[in-house]
Amino acid sequence: EAQVTQNPRYLITVTGKKLTVTCSQNMNHEYMSWYRQDPGLGLRQIYYSMNVEVTDKGDVPEGYKVSRKEKRNFPLILESPSPNQTSLYFCASSFSPLGTYEQYFGPGTRLTVT
Amino acid sequence: SQQGEEDPQALSIQEGENATMNCSYKTSINNLQWYRQNSGRGLVHLILIRSNEREKHSGRLRVTLDTSKKSSSLLITASRAADTASYFCATESGGSYIPTFGRGTSLIVHP
């Protein structure tokens, strides 16, 4: 089944404790991205990747890192999480960023930073 | 930066009625997509309309695009309680094919 998976689905952590949210897709998609969703603000893009080893900042990259060492995986790293990073996070992928293709979204990771 | 803005923010209707939501944007676009999100879940793609198209249909969904007014509408006909969700438009513009999402319209369909 074609899908985007994220882990963990729920995470409660404390300020400053490094964490990684994994994202994996099984559709051989070139393009992957991370969004955060906050009430009243909609979806905001954090980082995106056009292909392996090609990443770039989205609208709200501060406090986040990403890597794309393999085509299927695109982990989101919070080196020193802070309470303002409490949010619902989504990973998404699409066949290619060149031309127009629908994005497939993961189920989301609800992160709480205390 | 957010390009598309959905209107209304919230819509409450009875089952069987039609639901119309709108999306306005500021700059010229390559295409516009509509997505649906059930509470707390990932977004699901509904329909894509390119800048040179004016109308598309998919089942009970009808999307129109008016590039002169920089707006799009999503019509759900004969709504069902299962249509209760948030609906987002996403636009791609300029040389970037990276979609930008609006804040969404929350639709509640009462059985």
Side-chain angles (χ1 to χ4, degrees), chain B residues 1-16:
Chain B
S1 56
Q2 279 174 320
Q3 158 91 295
E5 288 295 335
E6 294 88 347
D7 173 68
Q9 284 188 314
L11 182 60
S12 180
I13 60 175
Q14 294 297 127
E15 212 167 28

Side-chain angles (χ1 to χ4, degrees), chain A residues 9 31 35 37 40-45 48 50 59 88 90 97-103 105-107 110, chain B residues 1-2 30-31 33 35 37 40-45 48 50 88 92 96-104:
Chain A
R9 294 290 313 280
Y31 177 80
Y35 295 88
Q37 185 175 32
L41 296 177
L43 273 87
R44 294 179 292 168
Q45 192 176 56
Y48 63 93
M50 301 284 215
D59 294 325
L88 180 57
F90 290 101
L98 303 178
T100 300
Y101 298 91
E102 67 177 277
Q103 288 200 82
F105 281 79
R110 189 168 292 279
Chain B
S1 56
Q2 279 174 320
N30 302 320
N31 63 75
Q33 302 183 47
Y35 286 80
Q37 182 184 33
R41 300 195 173 206
L43 280 71
V44 175
H45 183 263
L48 179 154
R50 299 184 191 279
F88 294 84
E92 296 173 20
S96 166
Y97 292 92
I98 298 164
T100 304
F101 288 83
R103 292 184 173 87

Side-chain angles (χ1 to χ4, degrees), chain A residues 17-87:
Chain A
K17 187 176 181 183
K18 181 179 178 180
L19 66 92
T20 299
V21 183
T22 64
C23 172
S24 183
Q25 50 92 5
N26 62 0
M27 296 167 279
N28 202 36
H29 283 171
E30 289 186 356
Y31 177 80
M32 297 184 75
S33 63
W34 277 101
Y35 295 88
R36 61 177 289 175
Q37 185 175 32
D38 302 289
L41 296 177
L43 273 87
R44 294 179 292 168
Q45 192 176 56
I46 303 170
Y47 268 95
Y48 63 93
S49 171
M50 301 284 215
N51 214 324
V52 176
E53 302 291 0
V54 182
T55 63
D56 209 346
K57 297 176 181 178
D59 294 325
V60 289
E62 293 78 20
Y64 304 94
K65 285 175 57 177
V66 293
S67 69
R68 188 93 181 271
K69 294 184 170 58
E70 306 165 281
K71 200 171 188 178
R72 63 182 293 127
N73 297 323
F74 190 45
L76 178 70
I77 303 155
L78 284 72
E79 294 270 2
S80 183
S82 62
N84 65 11
Q85 292 178 297
T86 292
S87 188

Side-chain angles (χ1 to χ4, degrees), chain A residues 100-102, chain B residues 3-6 21-35 45-54 56 62-67 69-74 87-93 97-102:
Chain A
T100 300
Y101 298 91
E102 67 177 277
Chain B
Q3 158 91 295
E5 288 295 335
E6 294 88 347
M21 51 207 90
N22 304 294
C23 172
S24 59
Y25 55 91
K26 297 189 175 84
T27 62
S28 297
I29 59 171
N30 302 320
N31 63 75
L32 186 145
Q33 302 183 47
W34 283 92
Y35 286 80
H45 183 263
L46 294 176
I47 200 163
L48 179 154
I49 186 163
R50 299 184 191 279
S51 59
N52 61 353
E53 297 175 314
R54 292 296 168 259
K56 285 191 83 168
R62 173 179 168 247
V63 168
T64 61
L65 179 64
D66 187 334
T67 53
K69 293 181 179 176
K70 292 187 171 61
S71 69
S72 173
S73 67
L74 170 66
Y87 293 82
F88 294 84
C89 68
T91 55
E92 296 173 20
S93 58
Y97 292 92
I98 298 164
T100 304
F101 288 83

Side-chain angles (χ1 to χ4, degrees), chain A residues 1 7 11 13 28 37 58 75 98:
Chain A
E1 180 192 351
N7 282 293
L11 179 59
T13 189
N28 202 36
Q37 185 175 32
L98 303 178

